[in-house]
Amino acid sequence: MKNKNLYNYILGIADNSLILGQRLGELCGHGPNLETDIALTNISLDLLGQTRNYYQYIARLHDKEKTEDDIAFLRSEREYINVLLVEQPNTHFGFVMARQFFYDVFHLMLMEKLQESKDETLSAIAKKAIKEVSYHFRFSSDWVKRLGDGTKESHYKMQEAVDELWRFTDEFFHLTEADKAMIEAGIGVDVSNFKEAYYIKVSEILTEATLSIGASKYFQKGGKQGIHSEHMGFILTELQYMQRTYPNMKW
Amino acid sequence: MNEKDIKNLEEIFEQRIARDEKIEPKDWMPEKYRQTHIRQISQHAHSEIVGMLPEGNWITRAPTLRRKVALLAKVQDEAGHGLYLYSATETLGITREELYEQLHSGKAKYSSIFNYPAITWADMGAIGWLVDGAAIINQVALCTTSFGPYARAMVRICKEESFHQRQGFEILLTLCNGTEVQKAMAQDSLNRWWWPSLMMFGPPDAESTHTEQSMKWKLKRKSNDDLRQQFIDQTIPQAEILGIKVPDPDLKWNEKRKSYDFGEIDWEEFWQVVKGHGPCNKERINARIDAWEKGVWVRDAALAYAEKQSDKKLNKAV
């Protein structure tokens, strides 16, 4: 491979979008009302569109001829390097929004910095994505506020989701070897630089939503090393179903 | 208003329709016109959102990223259609909640085709090609219907539907140009969707109710049987391009009529599904009820939050 670090760096970002896009895709047609259904589908579409841009780019870095679909569908579970947060299930609408919110705050900060990447393709993808991601952030943070400061029941449910998902937020800021190499090369973003800003932003919005920030100091990790939660196998079972059942065909 | 006044209004109303003028929500209209339109437009809206379910099933399993994105966008279009059709219905003085209640209780109907299961990827092609194809034939005529909001919604919907139909055809074309397994998948799908698609045009003219009144109000421009024939004549050449065979041994070109003769439709099956006993009637309604009931706390929260915000603004202003 021409540039393994670049490949793995981009794969890390892209896999997050793929798996979150897939999770949101499960909800299409089942939202609490038509308006949110349409909005969540939009977010899923944006994320999958970004995924395609990233995969198409790194497919070219491969020695063998690869396509975006080879990368998306034909890896083993241990080869997906998305963070654990994005694979967490759609337990209820509060979980969907908390997961989205935690991710969007990070994603927006990442895209802001990625625009400055020395890699022109990556910078161009970030410039396009940032418009979409700003909308995602607005949507999810508005819903966090609505649910947190809505009714007693919604407050309870939103707090439950925040408490449960909080433990997955720290993993965003773990640097892999590929991350470090790409930061060194001026291509990747040193996400540890905005870790503090991330938690300030998250706390600000949770406070406005009358929610308390996650109390646990114990965090989970592993996704970036391909060690996933037990949910991941089921996600891939559906995602890969057609490609695995009918290999080497055009669709 | 006395009887004579009403009679007078009705005459003016019918004349306006005859002159192809659009009736707008605030215009006077006979109660029967209002009720018929509530029934038909909401039935159409329900069909859109129930129709999201069989295809929505395949979003997580779509075979490529391109197909996944296209399918998501298509199902999202259907949600959008549902949204503006519900809005058009609401202009006639009924709430979205009441309309949902009618769907959930079984009082309101939706297109029976969505009570068939989508069990293979080829079904995503067949639904687009046949179901959207049949829907377009039904709907093109409605672009010039008399009720303004409905006619305008249909113009936009028809444009998107014809895109969906091409997309469905292209899914099948890819399968038919693929391996034997893929071609067999396409054929199997056509075998299962052909007859239910023909049933989408409704019962034969002899048994169809409402037709005369609907013709007058331009809710219907052609009869069920005429539309069905048009669909068959237009679809058979497309099946030939695909190289798959319509499952009708009696299908034959009639040179005299310049149309295809076709076999007997199983109307018993049609009525069974219409009456709620098709393969997926229960699953579809349960899925809608489930989404609505699970969403209660979310909708309540949004309402409570909005009230708190407007109270805050009010307090600030004071």
Side-chain angles (χ1 to χ4, degrees):
Chain A
M1 192 172 313
K2 280 175 209 147
N3 191 336
K4 205 166 187 318
N5 282 328
L6 179 62
Y7 183 91
N8 282 329
Y9 177 70
I10 298 174
L11 192 65
I13 302 173
D15 281 355
N16 286 341
S17 293
L18 172 71
I19 300 301
L20 188 53
Q22 174 79 359
R23 270 292 188 221
L24 292 172
E26 293 171 16
L27 294 168
C28 185
H30 304 280
N33 59 23
L34 269 178
E35 290 79 353
T36 45
D37 211 308
I38 291 171
L40 286 175
T41 307
N42 243 342
I43 296 176
S44 177
L45 276 170
D46 288 343
L47 290 170
L48 292 170
Q50 292 163 20
T51 306
R52 294 187 68 192
N53 290 333
Y54 291 126
Y55 286 168
Q56 283 165 8
Y57 178 35
I58 61 175
R60 299 203 302 263
L61 301 175
H62 249 286
D63 298 332
K64 290 182 205 145
E65 204 179 306
K66 289 264 179 197
T67 66
E68 55 172 357
D69 292 323
D70 295 331
I71 302 173
F73 297 97
L74 294 175
R75 279 180 286 158
S76 69
E77 180 173 329
R78 293 283 275 105
E79 292 169 310
Y80 286 83
I81 52 173
N82 56 280
V83 292
L84 297 175
L85 177 77
V86 294
E87 67 199 49
Q88 297 310 305
N90 302 319
T91 309
H92 61 57
F93 192 74
F95 276 80
V96 175
M97 281 306 128
R99 184 183 63 204
Q100 195 63 41
F101 168 66
F102 286 149
Y103 183 69
D104 291 342
V105 177
F106 170 78
H107 199 193
L108 188 56
M109 290 179 173
L110 176 64
M111 288 301 114
E112 271 163 7
K113 294 288 172 214
L114 196 63
Q115 294 180 102
E116 296 156 18
S117 172
K118 278 187 184 163
D119 184 301
E120 280 176 16
T121 310
L122 216 43
S123 159
I125 295 175
K127 278 180 183 147
K128 182 171 175 283
I130 198 161
K131 293 176 201 134
E132 298 166 347
V133 178
S134 326
Y135 162 76
H136 304 171
F137 165 71
R138 214 169 50 232
F139 180 80
S140 63
S141 55
D142 280 352
W143 270 106
V144 166
K145 289 180 217 163
R146 267 186 214 117
L147 297 175
D149 194 17
T151 63
K152 226 180 201 175
E153 185 187 7
S154 72
H155 177 86
Y156 172 82
K157 284 197 146 105
M158 198 62 222
Q159 188 66 59
E160 177 196 14
V162 165
D163 289 345
E164 281 219 23
L165 296 178
W166 182 258
R167 65 202 157 113
F168 298 111
T169 54
D170 185 65
E171 193 187 5
F172 289 134
F173 304 100
H174 293 211
L175 298 178
T176 63
E177 287 313 308
D179 293 344
K180 286 175 195 160
M182 285 302 101
I183 292 165
E184 191 71 27
I187 291 172
V189 175
D190 188 350
V191 291
S192 61
N193 285 341
F194 61 73
K195 183 173 178 177
E196 206 186 324
Y198 174 84
Y199 281 107
I200 290 173
K201 189 79 195 159
V202 165
S203 308
E204 224 175 73
I205 289 164
L206 290 181
T207 307
E208 200 188 328
T210 73
L211 295 160
S212 51
I213 55 164
S216 176
K217 287 190 179 66
Y218 297 99
F219 291 99
Q220 299 301 318
K221 60 176 187 217
K224 285 187 162 182
Q225 280 70 44
I227 303 170
H228 292 278
S229 64
E230 290 180 347
H231 303 297
M232 190 66 175
F234 294 95
I235 295 176
L236 295 183
T237 303
E238 284 191 37
L239 180 76
Q240 300 184 342
Y241 166 65
M242 290 295 292
Q243 290 278 348
R244 296 291 190 198
T245 314
Y246 306 100
N248 304 317
M249 296 184 199
K250 287 203 162 49
W251 300 97
Chain B
M1 216 180 297
N2 63 35
E3 242 173 70
K4 201 177 152 203
D5 288 342
I6 292 179
K7 191 105 184 102
N8 203 10
L9 279 170
E10 272 176 7
E11 266 170 32
I12 296 171
F13 179 83
E14 298 295 347
Q15 283 163 8
R16 287 186 61 195
I17 290 182
R19 284 198 302 270
D20 264 339
E21 277 179 38
K22 291 279 173 268
I23 306 301
E24 295 302 332
K26 285 184 177 162
D27 295 347
W28 183 88
M29 61 184 79
E31 194 49 29
K32 195 165 171 225
Y33 181 92
R34 183 185 301 277
Q35 291 311 326
T36 304
H37 278 77
I38 289 177
R39 187 175 52 81
Q40 175 157 339
I41 307 173
S42 68
Q43 187 172 319
H44 192 162
H46 298 324
S47 301
E48 296 285 356
I49 61 158
V50 175
M52 293 170 73
L53 298 169
E55 290 176 289
N57 259 333
W58 276 90
I59 289 169
T60 57
R61 291 176 291 170
T64 67
L65 288 178
R66 182 172 82 91
R67 293 294 186 198
K68 191 189 286 289
V69 168
L71 183 61
L72 254 172
K74 185 193 172 193
V75 181
Q76 188 191 35
D77 281 348
E78 283 155 11
H81 298 172
L83 198 58
Y84 31 91
L85 287 166
Y86 280 125
S87 304
T89 320
E90 285 171 86
T91 65
L92 290 162
I94 187 163
T95 65
R96 183 116 57 107
E97 283 68 24
E98 287 171 305
L99 294 169
Y100 280 150
E101 176 49 40
Q102 291 178 354
L103 172 68
H104 298 163
S105 70
K107 189 183 164 214
K109 298 271 180 265
Y110 56 87
S111 182
S112 271
I113 193 83
F114 301 119
N115 293 314
Y116 289 86
I119 53 179
T120 69
W121 172 252
D123 291 359
M124 296 305 98
I127 292 176
W129 175 44
L130 299 174
V131 177
D132 292 329
I136 293 167
I137 289 187
N138 268 328
Q139 291 167 4
V140 160
L142 291 171
C143 293
T144 53
T145 191
S146 63
F147 186 54
Y150 194 28
R152 288 188 289 273
M154 290 322 303
V155 171
R156 180 159 169 193
I157 289 173
C158 279
K159 276 186 198 149
E160 291 179 352
E161 293 292 6
S162 82
F163 178 73
H164 296 164
Q165 195 209 4
R166 282 203 300 275
Q167 190 173 291
F169 183 80
E170 201 256 323
I171 287 176
L172 289 177
L173 192 60
T174 308
L175 296 182
C176 291
N177 288 333
T179 62
E180 283 308 308
V181 176
Q182 287 173 301
K183 202 167 173 186
M185 195 189 278
Q187 179 64 60
D188 166 66
S189 186
L190 175 59
N191 292 348
R192 285 180 289 107
W193 290 94
W194 175 251
W195 292 105
S197 299
L198 298 190
M199 294 177 197
M200 281 178 72
F201 298 94
D205 294 346
E207 291 166 37
S208 178
T209 47
H210 314 295
T211 301
E212 200 187 325
Q213 182 71 82
S214 296
M215 291 269 190
K216 209 161 131 197
W217 287 339
K218 297 173 184 174
L219 261 176
K220 211 165 192 170
R221 319 285 315 238
K222 285 185 186 171
S223 79
N224 292 354
D225 287 335
D226 287 349
L227 291 170
R228 190 168 8 249
Q229 184 70 58
Q230 184 187 336
F231 173 74
I232 293 170
D233 291 347
Q234 139 186 340
T235 308
I236 300 302
Q238 294 169 2
E240 282 164 3
I241 294 172
L242 291 173
I244 48 181
K245 219 171 150 335
V246 165
D248 180 357
D250 297 324
L251 187 93
K252 208 170 68 200
W253 176 251
N254 183 326
E255 188 53 37
K256 221 157 125 198
R257 289 201 306 122
K258 299 280 178 211
S259 247
Y260 282 94
D261 292 336
F262 55 97
E264 187 67 26
I265 291 173
D266 182 355
W267 292 111
E268 219 168 285
E269 174 182 320
F270 171 79
W271 288 113
Q272 178 175 336
V273 183
V274 169
K275 285 175 183 158
H277 308 289
C280 296
N281 293 61
K282 297 216 166 15
E283 286 81 354
R284 300 296 184 238
I285 285 298
N286 288 344
R288 288 311 318 158
I289 294 175
D290 189 54
W292 188 245
E293 286 179 350
K294 279 189 182 145
V296 172
W297 70 273
V298 177
R299 297 190 302 274
D300 286 350
L303 211 62
Y305 180 77
E307 275 168 16
K308 282 185 200 175
Q309 293 305 304
S310 73
D311 283 352
K312 270 186 203 164
K313 265 190 202 155
L314 208 65
N315 286 341
K316 258 191 199 165
V318 175

